[in-house]
Coordinates of all heavy atoms in Angstrom, one line a residue:
P1 N 4.3 -23.2 0.5 CA 5.0 -22.0 0.2 C 4.6 -20.8 1.0 O 3.4 -20.8 1.4 CB 4.7 -21.8 -1.3 CG 3.8 -22.8 -1.7 CD 3.5 -23.7 -0.5
M2 N 5.5 -19.9 1.3 CA 5.1 -18.8 2.1 C 5.4 -17.5 1.4 O 6.2 -17.4 0.5 CB 5.9 -18.8 3.4 CG 7.4 -18.5 3.2 SD 8.3 -18.5 4.8 CE 8.5 -20.3 5.1
A3 N 4.6 -16.5 1.7 CA 4.7 -15.1 1.1 C 6.0 -14.5 1.7 O 6.3 -14.7 2.8 CB 3.5 -14.3 1.3
L4 N 6.6 -13.6 0.9 CA 7.7 -12.8 1.4 C 7.3 -11.8 2.4 O 8.1 -11.4 3.3 CB 8.5 -12.2 0.3 CG 9.2 -13.2 -0.7 CD1 9.9 -12.4 -1.8 CD2 10.2 -14.0 0.1
L5 N 6.1 -11.3 2.3 CA 5.5 -10.3 3.2 C 4.4 -10.9 3.9 O 3.6 -11.6 3.4 CB 5.0 -9.1 2.4 CG 6.1 -8.3 1.6 CD1 5.4 -7.2 0.8 CD2 7.1 -7.7 2.5
S6 N 4.3 -10.6 5.2 CA 3.2 -11.0 6.0 C 1.9 -10.3 5.5 O 1.9 -9.3 4.9 CB 3.4 -10.8 7.5 OG 3.3 -9.4 7.7
E7 N 0.8 -10.9 5.9 CA -0.5 -10.3 5.6 C -0.6 -8.9 6.1 O -1.1 -8.0 5.4 CB -1.7 -11.1 6.1 CG -1.9 -12.4 5.4 CD -3.0 -13.3 5.9 OE1 -4.0 -12.7 6.4 OE2 -3.0 -14.5 5.8
R8 N -0.1 -8.7 7.3 CA -0.1 -7.3 7.9 C 0.7 -6.3 7.0 O 0.3 -5.2 6.8 CB 0.4 -7.4 9.3 CG 0.3 -6.1 10.1 CD 0.7 -6.2 11.5 NE 2.2 -6.2 11.5 CZ 2.9 -6.8 12.4 NH1 2.4 -7.4 13.4 NH2 4.2 -6.8 12.3
E9 N 1.9 -6.8 6.6 CA 2.7 -5.9 5.8 C 2.1 -5.6 4.5 O 2.1 -4.5 3.9 CB 4.1 -6.6 5.5 CG 5.0 -6.5 6.7 CD 6.3 -7.3 6.5 OE1 6.3 -8.4 6.0 OE2 7.4 -6.7 6.7
Q10 N 1.4 -6.6 3.9 CA 0.7 -6.4 2.6 C -0.4 -5.4 2.8 O -0.6 -4.6 1.9 CB 0.2 -7.8 2.1 CG 1.3 -8.7 1.6 CD 0.8 -10.1 1.2 OE1 -0.4 -10.3 1.3 NE2 1.7 -11.0 0.9
A11 N -1.1 -5.5 3.9 CA -2.2 -4.6 4.1 C -1.7 -3.2 4.3 O -2.3 -2.2 3.8 CB -3.1 -5.0 5.4
V12 N -0.6 -3.0 5.1 CA -0.1 -1.7 5.3 C 0.4 -1.1 4.0 O 0.1 0.1 3.6 CB 1.1 -1.7 6.3 CG1 1.9 -0.4 6.3 CG2 0.6 -2.0 7.7
R13 N 1.1 -1.9 3.1 CA 1.5 -1.4 1.8 C 0.4 -1.0 1.0 O 0.4 0.0 0.2 CB 2.4 -2.5 1.1 CG 3.8 -2.5 1.7 CD 4.6 -3.4 0.9 NE 6.0 -3.5 1.5 CZ 7.0 -3.8 0.8 NH1 7.0 -4.1 -0.4 NH2 8.2 -3.9 1.4
A14 N -0.7 -1.8 1.0 CA -1.9 -1.5 0.2 C -2.5 -0.1 0.6 O -2.9 0.7 -0.2 CB -2.9 -2.6 0.3
M15 N -2.5 0.1 2.0 CA -3.1 1.4 2.5 C -2.2 2.6 2.0 O -2.7 3.6 1.6 CB -3.2 1.4 4.0 CG -4.4 0.6 4.5 SD -4.7 0.7 6.2 CE -3.4 -0.5 6.8
L16 N -0.9 2.4 2.2 CA 0.1 3.5 1.8 C 0.0 3.7 0.3 O 0.0 4.9 -0.2 CB 1.5 3.1 2.1 CG 1.8 3.0 3.6 CD1 3.2 2.5 3.9 CD2 1.7 4.4 4.3
K17 N -0.2 2.7 -0.5 CA -0.4 2.9 -2.0 C -1.7 3.6 -2.3 O -1.7 4.5 -3.1 CB -0.3 1.5 -2.6 CG -0.4 1.6 -4.2 CD -0.3 0.2 -4.8 CE -0.2 0.3 -6.3 NZ -0.1 -1.0 -6.9
A18 N -2.7 3.3 -1.5 CA -4.0 4.0 -1.7 C -3.9 5.5 -1.4 O -4.4 6.3 -2.1 CB -5.1 3.3 -0.9
V19 N -3.2 5.8 -0.3 CA -3.0 7.2 0.1 C -2.2 7.9 -1.0 O -2.6 9.0 -1.4 CB -2.2 7.3 1.4 CG1 -1.7 8.7 1.7 CG2 -3.1 6.8 2.6
R20 N -1.1 7.3 -1.5 CA -0.3 7.9 -2.6 C -1.2 8.2 -3.8 O -1.1 9.2 -4.4 CB 0.9 7.0 -2.9 CG 1.8 7.6 -3.9 CD 3.0 6.7 -4.1 NE 4.0 7.3 -4.9 CZ 4.9 8.2 -4.6 NH1 4.9 8.6 -3.4 NH2 5.7 8.7 -5.5
E21 N -1.9 7.2 -4.2 CA -2.8 7.3 -5.4 C -3.8 8.4 -5.2 O -4.1 9.2 -6.2 CB -3.5 6.0 -5.8 CG -2.5 4.9 -6.3 CD -3.1 3.6 -6.5 OE1 -4.3 3.4 -6.2 OE2 -2.4 2.7 -7.0
H22 N -4.4 8.5 -4.0 CA -5.4 9.5 -3.8 C -4.8 10.9 -3.9 O -5.4 11.8 -4.6 CB -6.0 9.3 -2.4 CG -7.0 10.4 -2.0 ND1 -8.3 10.5 -2.5 CD2 -6.8 11.5 -1.2 CE1 -8.8 11.6 -2.0 NE2 -8.0 12.2 -1.2
V23 N -3.6 11.1 -3.3 CA -3.0 12.4 -3.4 C -2.6 12.8 -4.9 O -2.9 13.9 -5.3 CB -1.7 12.4 -2.5 CG1 -0.9 13.7 -2.8 CG2 -2.1 12.4 -1.1
T24 N -2.1 11.8 -5.6 CA -1.7 12.1 -7.0 C -2.9 12.3 -7.9 O -2.7 13.1 -8.9 CB -0.7 11.0 -7.5 OG1 -1.4 9.8 -7.5 CG2 0.6 11.0 -6.8
K25 N -4.0 11.8 -7.6 CA -5.2 12.0 -8.4 C -6.0 13.2 -8.1 O -6.6 13.8 -8.9 CB -6.1 10.8 -8.3 CG -5.7 9.5 -9.0 CD -6.6 8.4 -8.8 CE -6.1 7.1 -9.5 NZ -7.0 6.0 -9.2
T26 N -5.9 13.7 -6.8 CA -6.8 14.8 -6.4 C -6.0 16.1 -6.1 O -6.7 17.1 -5.9 CB -7.6 14.4 -5.1 OG1 -6.6 14.1 -4.0 CG2 -8.4 13.2 -5.3
A27 N -4.7 16.1 -6.1 CA -4.0 17.3 -5.8 C -3.2 17.7 -7.1 O -3.0 16.9 -8.0 CB -3.0 17.0 -4.7
D28 N -2.8 19.0 -7.1 CA -2.0 19.6 -8.2 C -0.6 19.3 -8.0 O 0.0 19.6 -6.9 CB -2.3 21.1 -8.3 CG -3.7 21.4 -8.7 OD1 -4.3 20.6 -9.4 OD2 -4.2 22.5 -8.3

């Protein structure tokens, strides 16, 4: 079975999610 997203896409999405979470936690 194969993933719908490549490992590279999953890593990019994880980084973007981390950026979003950091902004929403640390900014007003």
Side-chain angles (χ1 to χ4, degrees):
M2 66 179 83
L4 293 177
L5 297 174
S6 69
E7 288 181 27
R8 186 177 76 207
E9 287 176 309
Q10 291 174 2
V12 168
R13 284 188 181 203
M15 285 187 280
L16 292 173
K17 186 175 182 181
V19 168
R20 184 176 184 81
E21 288 175 358
H22 175 76
V23 169
T24 58
K25 286 180 183 175
T26 61
D28 294 331

